[in-house]
Amino acid sequence: MNQSFFIKTYGCQMNEYDSEKLNDLLEYNGYKASKNFEESDIAILNTCHIRKKASEKLYSDLGRLSKFKENKKKLGKRMQIIVTGCVAQAEGDEILKRNKSVDYIFGPQSFHKLPKILKKSNSDKVYNDFLCENKFSSLIPSKSKEVSKLITIQEGCDKFCSFCVVPYTRGAEFSRSVENIYAETIALVKNGAKELTLLGQNVSSYESNVIKDGIRKKIRLGDLCQILSHIQGLERIRYLTSHPIDIDDNLLDQHKKNPKLMPFLHLPIQSGSDRILKKMNRKHSKTFYLSLIEKIKKIKKNMAFSSDFIVGYPGETDNDFQESLEVIEKVRFASSYSFKYSPRPGTPSSLKDSLIDCDVVDRRLKEMQSILNKHQTEFNLSFIDKTVDVLFSGKGKKPNQYVGRTPHLQPVHVLSSENLVGKLLSVKLEDLTSYSFHGRLSA
Ligand code: 5AD
Ligand code: SF4
């Protein structure tokens, strides 16, 4: 009988993409996906290292799983435990030392080797080299029929923000070739995909080359969006995550003239204080960020923004925190994420001792999140009674209910006796419940 596997994904959308790719590779090699760890012969934990809480989750899950593995063994059954993702890359052997029941460790650029390694029991247990190229050329076309798909086009980061593990876990910046991305997009669209989110830790630094009429041409993110938008059947393109200093005119020009490129930009600032931004090695100031937002709004009037904030970076004063709130008041983000600073091993900021008192950080985070939520609600309320395009991607929980997203990523629920999945339709937004709308199809 075929061996079964279950993948638990922690963290960001890049991990979601990797898990889907690993799932496809394993199925292609004859393994069967199961619904949970308990029913699986191979348990795979695709981990996240970005904050302490995320990586600690791995160890609590491993504790539970190793007991389960022992019990299975007593019944004469075998279970393999495999750790993939960013904790695997960062901690490698350490994981094996902390938990003896782990069989293999694969970093984010090595998971494609897993099916082969499983077939012949190997003495090497840790696989964590940094060669993205080998990974992407080993992936197989997805069979997924989902309407909205993720596609990794870039990995790694050369920015080295002082708090961030990404340059150490995902390695140096690598951009996938246009041909490779194009082929995957065609396959996805053939299967019914209508929306594509181009992923990268630093997607706005995407850069590759194509040869046209014997001449080498540099391809940036804007060019890539233009190339992909010619694919018939693909209705929407998004990208994630950008660094403010990499947003170039080539990309903004696409926002101006390419209707398939959605008017929503996730643009992390991290802090509104120049003093903290400098300590964070962010390479941009508050003024640069705010002028960029103004410039983009002039080019694309309906552009909405989201951001990431870190609260309680070492040395953050009340004044620095107020400056972050001022940026929030000025931009009025459509939505945003905010996190407590978490010292990560190996990062420059983890060596600083000017840590902020936990209660102060909690208070600041609460205050920031309540303002961000208020702005998100205000943004959403401004759409009530408006008619917008909604791309329907699935069924809702209620009978005859369908769920879709607006160009600004707002979720919308609509009742219909006809199947709406895969359709892009005009919807009048009538009601808002917390962060999602109820709407009615326009006649
Ligand atoms: N502590 C808290 N938040 C962090 N992020 C990255 N590293 C840390 C850290 N050490 C946040 C940043 C980034 C998002 C993905 O996670 O805001 O943009
Ligand atoms: Fe991390 Fe983003 Fe900074 Fe790169 S740009 S180091 S991924 S926070």
Side-chain angles (χ1 to χ4, degrees), residues 233-294:
L234 183 66
E235 309 271 8
R236 289 178 166 184
I237 300 173
R238 304 178 184 278
Y239 57 90
L240 189 81
T241 293
S242 307
H243 190 290
I245 65 167
D246 291 326
I247 303 285
D248 59 10
D249 289 344
N250 170 284
L251 183 60
L252 295 184
D253 192 45
Q254 279 299 302
H255 273 293
K256 194 168 164 185
K257 60 187 193 202
N258 187 344
K260 291 191 178 180
L261 196 53
M262 289 297 101
F264 187 88
L265 179 56
H266 182 58
L267 195 62
I269 182 170
Q270 315 295 358
S271 167
S273 151
D274 282 344
R275 209 178 66 83
I276 297 293
L277 286 171
K278 200 152 191 222
K279 284 177 190 257
M280 285 178 163
N281 192 29
R282 280 293 292 175
K283 304 176 175 70
H284 62 79
S285 64
K286 172 177 82 175
T287 316
F288 177 87
Y289 184 89
L290 291 173
S291 341
L292 179 62
I293 297 252
E294 281 315 306

Side-chain angles (χ1 to χ4, degrees), residues 157 159-161 163-164 166-167 201-202 243 270 282:
C157 182
K159 295 280 189 295
F160 288 92
C161 297
F163 51 83
C164 185
V166 168
Q201 265 96 21
N202 220 336
H243 190 290
Q270 315 295 358
R282 280 293 292 175

Side-chain angles (χ1 to χ4, degrees), residues 13 148-151 153 194-200 203 221 224-225 228 234-242 251 255 260-266 303-304 389-391 404-411 424:
Q13 283 156 311
S148 179
K149 295 300 298 177
L150 305 171
I151 177 170
I153 64 159
K194 298 267 161 75
E195 178 177 78
L196 204 59
T197 303
L198 312 178
L199 296 179
V203 76
L221 180 60
L224 183 66
C225 290
L228 296 177
L234 183 66
E235 309 271 8
R236 289 178 166 184
I237 300 173
R238 304 178 184 278
Y239 57 90
L240 189 81
T241 293
S242 307
L251 183 60
H255 273 293
K260 291 191 178 180
L261 196 53
M262 289 297 101
F264 187 88
L265 179 56
H266 182 58
M303 186 72 115
D389 288 342
V390 173
L391 177 61
R405 297 244 177 201
T406 69
H408 293 107
L409 264 183
Q410 299 138 302
L424 181 63

Side-chain angles (χ1 to χ4, degrees), residues 59-122:
Y59 290 105
S60 63
D61 282 347
L62 274 184
R64 270 191 318 112
L65 267 181
S66 48
K67 279 195 198 113
F68 189 74
K69 179 173 175 172
E70 260 169 50
N71 288 340
K72 259 192 142 174
K73 204 172 166 190
K74 282 181 200 151
L75 298 171
K77 289 184 185 162
R78 190 169 172 236
M79 181 185 212
Q80 286 183 289
I81 300 180
I82 290 157
V83 179
T84 61
C86 292
V87 183
Q89 188 70 40
E91 298 187 7
D93 283 331
E94 253 335 280
I95 302 173
L96 295 174
K97 280 187 206 144
R98 274 181 76 169
N99 193 307
K100 302 271 180 290
S101 59
V102 174
D103 293 274
Y104 294 110
I105 311 268
F106 289 86
Q109 320 309 355
S110 312
F111 68 78
H112 59 286
K113 295 179 185 160
L114 178 58
K116 242 190 211 154
I117 307 278
L118 283 176
K119 285 209 166 119
K120 40 176 182 144
S121 128
N122 261 269

Side-chain angles (χ1 to χ4, degrees), residues 103 144 150 285 337 344 347 369 383 432:
D103 293 274
S144 149
L150 305 171
S285 64
Y337 300 92
R344 305 305 294 129
T347 59
Q369 288 183 338
F383 283 84
L432 180 70

Side-chain angles (χ1 to χ4, degrees), residues 12 49-52 161-166 201 241-242 266-271 280 282 307-311 313 337-345 347 349:
C12 68
H49 198 55
I50 198 93
R51 283 170 292 277
K52 193 172 172 211
C161 297
S162 62
F163 51 83
C164 185
V165 286
V166 168
Q201 265 96 21
T241 293
S242 307
H266 182 58
L267 195 62
I269 182 170
Q270 315 295 358
S271 167
M280 285 178 163
R282 280 293 292 175
S307 194
D308 288 344
F309 288 89
I310 293 179
V311 172
Y313 185 83
Y337 300 92
S338 45
F339 311 99
K340 284 186 215 175
Y341 169 71
S342 168
R344 305 305 294 129
T347 59
S349 69

